[in-house]
Amino acid sequence: MLRSLHIDPQKCTGCLQCEMACSYENEKVFNPAKSRIKVFNFHDEGRFVPYTCTQCAEAWCLHACPVEAITKNKLTGAMEVADSVCVGCKVCTIACPFGTVNYNETTGKVIKCDLCGGDPACAKACPTAAITYVDANFTGLERMRAWAAKTSAGARA
Amino acid sequence: MAWTRKILRVNLTQGTCTPEALNMAWARDYLGQRGLASKYLAEEIDPRVDALSPDNKMIMTTGPLTGTAASTSSRYSIVTKSPLTGAIACSNSGGFFGAELKNAGWDMIIFEGRAPAPVYLFLHNDRAELLSAEAIWGRSVWETDHWIHQRHQDPQIRVAAIGAGAEKGVLFAAVVNDLHRAAGRSGVGTVMGSKNLKAVAIRGELGVGNIRDPEGFMKAVVDAKAVLAGNAVTSAGLPTYGTQVLMNVINEMGAMPTRNWREIQFEGASAISGEAMHEPRASDCKPNLVRNAACFGCTIACGRISTIDPSHFTLRGEGRDRYKVASGGLEYEAAWALGSDTGVSDIDALTYANFICNEHGLDPISFGATVAAAMELYTMGVLTQAHTGGIALDFGNAEALCTLAELTGRGEGFGLEIGLGSKRLCARYGHPELSMTVKGQEFPAYDARAIKGMGLTYATSNRGACHLRSYTVASEVLGIPVKTDPLATEGKAELVKAFQDATAVVDSTGLCVFTTFAWTLADIQPQVAAACEGDWSMEKLAEVGERIWNLERQFNLDAGLTAADDTLPPRLLKEPANTGPAKGHVNELDQMLPEYYRIRGWTEDGRLKPDLRERLGV
């Protein structure tokens, strides 16, 4: 079953455990500045929104890369960057409409979410299930379930 | 390791920023944050210095676990000599600033001297610069935060700043970071103001590494998070209601100080409680509480994000837009001090006053408590409208509370007298007995006539009256880790010492003391031991806690405090509680204090005995 990261911003408290888990998994250091997932704080509205690569089926980054450093992992569906091939030209960072591919000054390569090879650390670290790793064909299942529960409660009333 | 092993020394007089190595011998004895910075302060300043002179130093310090994946790893502290108490001050804050300091590669920053003109420190990883703050001197914390982000064109900078009150000598000024998290108590912001230091702005991209045993650390972290997730207080009570979960509980047990502690239960408590923050209001059908929010790394998320009722009087008129958005809402202590202690039960007025305390950098506990003392003086006719500039300071006057918050925050008019704090204000008007303080610091929200251990806690706290030095409420009210009788004095000396020493350890790790609703030191020890090189056994941690407490005590004794300062106001010792389960009770401090000194290994006049000094190396 193909899975994908699913984000429910209403559950996010802005703790950044996901950013630390991501940087630790990929860089062996707790460092939000090197995280592939970022949590945005819309302060005046009291909203926190985690955001990362959604692994487009037709990925702009993959098509834009002039050296074919970005390939699709057929098992996880993730677009992965091969560091040995990437030349750091940043064309993919321009091509991505969502801003989720970014350049890493330290390595001279780009970094993006690769779903940790199919076991994403951010989802495991999230204390409120704001980030989950679910059936890619049914990311709406939990939301449907919540509304379904209200619907049946209404019928009983 | 976990320490970055680097400290930044900023000499404001000379305008220099110098890196130096962390003293690892001291780190082995004092761990980090509160303990280690207190050691630096005790070694580097004469405890008798004037707290607001250039001879005082101000240390911003992280712990070894700050910025790691450990739950609640947000904490940093500001350690200095307090202008409010004359004692050692250590004010702890969360948010994101502390982790950013660690991510920039520093364990602590030591500020010394006084800048010839207002400056702020900009710290980007290894690069430290003192830049002019002339343009923002006199401005609020919120304006300063905005100005710095604009100037550096970087939304990811974290800022800690002071407001105008701190610049003008309000003695309980806080340092506010991330807009509404505060190193709140003891006037640490006033010290920062006296140094002409407006703000510290940090961008850290180096990360926190140096974990001794990464695999073991991650296991310990996951185990400890599971304990928080499985505990009713840390997984449900605090996220749902914040610390405000306590308002109705403490009021019902008759331990809710009301109207400057003349009463012990507040008829308006439920209207300003955590439950009330969830109630939709008539004007826009929205509740006060927008949502809960976490500090860096925190899996509890007790923080409150609130809005003010759009129809409330505080939002009428010009220039109110910045209060019409969501911002930091009421915690229990603020709701109590701004509310119950002043007799104000208007939750929107309290939310507004709380916004103002954040915007201008005031400790809401000391501010509210000082207003409460002023209200009692006004009720007695000692203070009049001629003194207050026409403000009718009756108990329960929400408009007066909000106006005084603005005036005190800006350091204007009668706000400057409120800014003296309760002790100096009451002395000025001839009624020192009405000041509800210990060592000059205002009480928090637990009446010591109904919770006896808190009387000993307040009397012996090294930073003046405070609930965070030994929160025996946990045991006496909530039964954590074991239930004790709140109305009994037996065993409280031992309980207070145990809480004091354990809390000193927690405050030295980089973790939050609120974890101890669920965690004991046995949950914290594996995280520290896996992260830090050296011996960090339970026995070692217990010794470190005791050492920190005694170091702080020795600092205070050297600063000129004595056993006579380990006392409570006459109201708590002589005026019995008038309602509730504790009716008829006073606090019998005299039954607990000698026992406490004995257990501490101190002399009858509260001084460290030589053998204790030798054992702890203090």
Side-chain angles (χ1 to χ4, degrees):
Chain A
M1 179 175 69
L2 191 69
R3 289 178 179 268
S4 67
L5 280 176
H6 187 60
I7 288 167
D8 182 351
Q10 289 199 357
K11 291 181 179 168
C12 177
T13 62
C15 75
L16 310 190
Q17 279 283 347
C18 55
E19 296 192 11
M20 278 189 283
C22 180
S23 58
Y24 182 74
E25 179 72 23
N26 290 290
E27 315 277 342
K28 295 294 161 222
V29 63
F30 304 114
N31 188 0
K34 294 286 160 61
S35 173
R36 285 113 171 106
I37 186 167
K38 294 301 290 178
V39 178
F40 294 88
N41 177 1
F42 298 94
H43 176 269
D44 291 359
E45 302 159 40
R47 287 198 300 135
F48 303 100
V49 184
Y51 202 78
T52 189
C53 175
T54 51
Q55 317 296 349
C56 308
E58 286 291 330
W60 279 269
C61 61
L62 179 148
H63 290 302
C65 180
V67 294
E68 297 185 7
I70 301 177
T71 53
K72 182 171 185 167
N73 181 322
K74 294 219 165 38
L75 283 176
T76 63
M79 305 305 136
E80 297 177 349
V81 180
D83 274 1
S84 57
V85 184
C86 175
V87 295
C89 73
K90 312 179 196 70
V91 168
C92 56
T93 68
I94 298 167
C96 174
F98 308 106
T100 54
V101 193
N102 286 283
Y103 181 65
N104 181 344
E105 184 186 345
T106 315
T107 59
K109 314 287 179 184
V110 295
I111 57 174
K112 69 176 288 299
C113 171
D114 62 359
L115 298 174
C116 298
D119 187 17
C122 55
K124 280 192 290 187
C126 179
T128 61
I131 306 165
T132 48
Y133 191 52
V134 298
D135 183 348
N137 298 306
F138 253 125
T139 52
L141 201 64
E142 276 311 304
R143 196 171 294 172
M144 284 168 73
R145 189 195 306 281
W147 284 103
K150 287 186 187 176
T151 306
S152 93
R156 277 204 305 273
Chain B
M1 292 192 265
W3 303 277
T4 69
R5 296 175 174 241
K6 272 171 62 191
I7 68 178
L8 182 66
R9 187 174 294 277
V10 178
N11 187 308
L12 294 160
T13 307
Q14 294 164 11
T16 55
C17 301
T18 316
E20 60 185 57
L22 186 71
N23 186 320
M24 289 309 294
W26 291 352
R28 279 189 287 277
D29 283 343
Y30 292 91
L31 187 53
Q33 202 178 351
R34 173 176 162 189
L36 188 51
S38 296
K39 174 66 173 171
Y40 268 91
L41 189 78
E43 292 286 339
E44 294 196 7
I45 73 165
D46 179 343
R48 290 166 300 183
V49 297
D50 174 353
L52 298 180
S53 76
D55 296 333
N56 194 7
K57 297 191 183 187
M58 185 188 94
I59 306 176
M60 281 182 163
T61 172
T62 65
L65 299 189
T66 305
T68 69
S71 185
T72 77
S73 66
S74 69
R75 312 309 294 188
Y76 80 99
S77 293
I78 297 182
V79 175
T80 186
K81 179 175 175 173
S82 163
L84 186 69
T85 65
I88 193 164
C90 174
S91 292
N92 185 305
S93 181
F96 298 83
F97 176 84
E100 200 73 20
L101 172 56
K102 193 77 174 285
N103 270 280
W106 305 94
D107 288 317
M108 58 171 81
I109 310 173
I110 300 177
F111 293 98
E112 47 193 40
R114 172 187 287 157
V119 293
Y120 70 102
L121 175 70
F122 180 60
L123 184 58
H124 184 187
N125 299 335
D126 292 334
R127 200 177 93 231
E129 293 175 273
L130 288 168
L131 302 172
S132 172
E134 296 277 11
I136 39 172
W137 197 248
R139 310 285 284 275
S140 74
V141 170
W142 290 0
E143 289 169 323
T144 300
D145 187 286
H146 180 73
W147 185 87
I148 287 174
H149 282 108
Q150 290 292 311
R151 175 169 181 192
H152 293 275
Q153 290 293 299
D154 183 350
Q156 300 197 75
I157 291 170
R158 307 286 188 184
V159 177
I162 56 166
E167 299 166 15
K168 294 181 182 172
V170 167
L171 286 174
F172 47 78
V175 176
V176 174
N177 56 279
D178 303 293
L179 299 176
H180 41 76
R181 307 304 310 187
R185 302 229 68 192
S186 310
V188 295
T190 321
V191 174
M192 189 159 153
S194 77
K195 298 196 170 302
N196 270 334
L197 179 64
K198 182 66 179 178
V200 179
I202 306 180
R203 178 82 195 282
E205 301 167 288
L206 303 178
V208 179
N210 290 342
I211 302 295
R212 183 185 64 81
D213 168 14
E215 213 167 295
F217 180 68
M218 290 309 271
K219 182 181 181 309
V221 161
V222 168
D223 290 348
K225 283 182 190 168
V227 174
L228 296 177
N231 178 281
V233 177
T234 48
S235 75
L238 284 172
T240 307
Y241 298 112
T243 52
Q244 276 270 64
V245 70
L246 288 161
M247 179 64 73
N248 286 320
V249 175
I250 300 298
N251 191 52
E252 277 157 28
M253 73 169 294
M256 172 72 59
T258 301
R259 286 177 277 268
N260 203 36
W261 300 61
R262 295 197 306 191
E263 294 148 79
I264 198 162
Q265 285 180 308
F266 182 43
E267 68 285 354
S270 69
I272 61 170
S273 66
E275 289 83 347
M277 291 170 74
H278 280 272
E279 291 294 323
R281 54 205 173 203
S283 64
D284 62 353
C285 299
K286 290 178 183 165
N288 174 281
L289 184 73
V290 177
R291 66 157 306 120
N292 66 325
C295 295
F296 185 93
C298 177
T299 58
I300 302 173
C302 74
R304 305 289 90 185
I305 303 295
S306 287
T307 56
I308 297 167
D309 185 333
S311 69
H312 193 255
F313 73 82
T314 52
L315 296 188
R316 284 186 213 133
E318 296 294 306
R320 306 269 91 190
D321 284 358
R322 64 186 180 279
Y323 309 117
K324 292 177 181 171
V325 299
S327 194
L330 293 167
E331 314 286 337
Y332 171 59
E333 288 297 335
W336 163 78
L338 301 169
S340 173
D341 206 20
T342 67
V344 175
S345 56
D346 172 347
I347 196 168
D348 293 293
L350 305 191
T351 304
Y352 176 76
N354 195 55
F355 280 12
I356 295 292
C357 286
N358 290 330
E359 181 185 17
H360 294 288
L362 299 178
D363 170 8
I365 301 180
S366 287
F367 166 72
T370 304
V371 171
M375 284 175 165
E376 183 160 8
L377 291 167
Y378 184 83
T379 304
M380 293 161 63
V382 175
L383 262 180
T384 67
Q385 291 194 26
H387 300 106
T388 65
I391 301 168
L393 265 184
D394 301 291
F395 279 114
N397 186 340
E399 287 88 350
L401 173 75
C402 294
T403 302
L404 282 182
E406 294 164 357
L407 290 174
T408 311
R410 295 197 296 257
E412 294 171 0
F414 188 65
L416 279 173
E417 289 204 51
I418 294 292
L420 293 170
S422 159
K423 179 184 170 183
R424 290 167 179 82
L425 182 82
C426 290
R428 171 175 287 197
Y429 289 97
H431 287 276
E433 78 283 0
L434 296 183
S435 169
M436 302 308 295
T437 53
V438 172
K439 300 180 175 75
Q441 178 156 287
E442 291 73 12
F443 283 116
Y446 305 91
D447 200 298
R449 290 166 291 196
I451 310 174
K452 301 293 166 86
M454 290 308 285
L456 185 60
T457 286
Y458 297 151
T460 61
S461 160
N462 284 331
R463 68 168 184 176
C466 173
H467 56 298
L468 295 170
R469 286 297 171 271
S470 49
Y471 190 69
T472 59
V473 174
S475 167
E476 298 179 271
V477 180
L478 306 170
I480 302 167
V482 288
K483 184 79 174 77
T484 54
D485 178 1
L487 294 176
T489 54
E490 297 81 37
K492 293 298 162 66
E494 206 169 345
L495 188 72
V496 166
K497 177 186 182 291
F499 269 81
Q500 286 173 338
D501 292 353
T503 307
V505 173
V506 178
D507 288 344
S508 300
T509 57
L511 305 180
C512 176
V513 74
F514 288 0
T515 57
T516 58
F517 285 112
W519 288 353
T520 66
L521 279 188
D523 297 292
I524 292 172
Q525 182 270 336
Q527 302 181 74
V528 174
C532 304
E533 68 179 14
D535 164 27
W536 298 104
S537 62
M538 288 293 284
E539 296 71 27
K540 172 73 185 294
L541 288 179
E543 180 194 297
V544 166
E546 188 179 11
R547 178 178 295 121
I548 293 166
W549 192 266
N550 280 282
L551 175 89
E552 293 172 340
R553 175 74 179 187
Q554 189 59 51
F555 181 98
N556 288 348
L557 293 170
D558 293 342
L561 277 76
T562 68
D565 297 298
D566 298 339
T567 188
L568 297 171
R571 180 160 280 170
L572 291 185
L573 300 172
K574 292 176 187 158
E575 291 179 29
N578 43 17
T579 60
K583 187 173 178 178
H585 277 263
V586 295
N587 188 280
E588 301 91 347
L589 180 65
D590 58 342
Q591 291 178 17
M592 299 181 281
L593 193 60
E595 170 78 353
Y596 172 83
Y597 282 178
R598 193 183 61 73
I599 291 172
R600 274 275 170 221
W602 297 349
T603 64
E604 286 176 8
D605 60 351
R607 306 190 79 84
L608 283 66
K609 288 182 182 169
D611 58 331
L612 176 72
R613 201 187 298 274
E614 192 178 339
R615 177 167 66 82
L616 297 175
V618 171

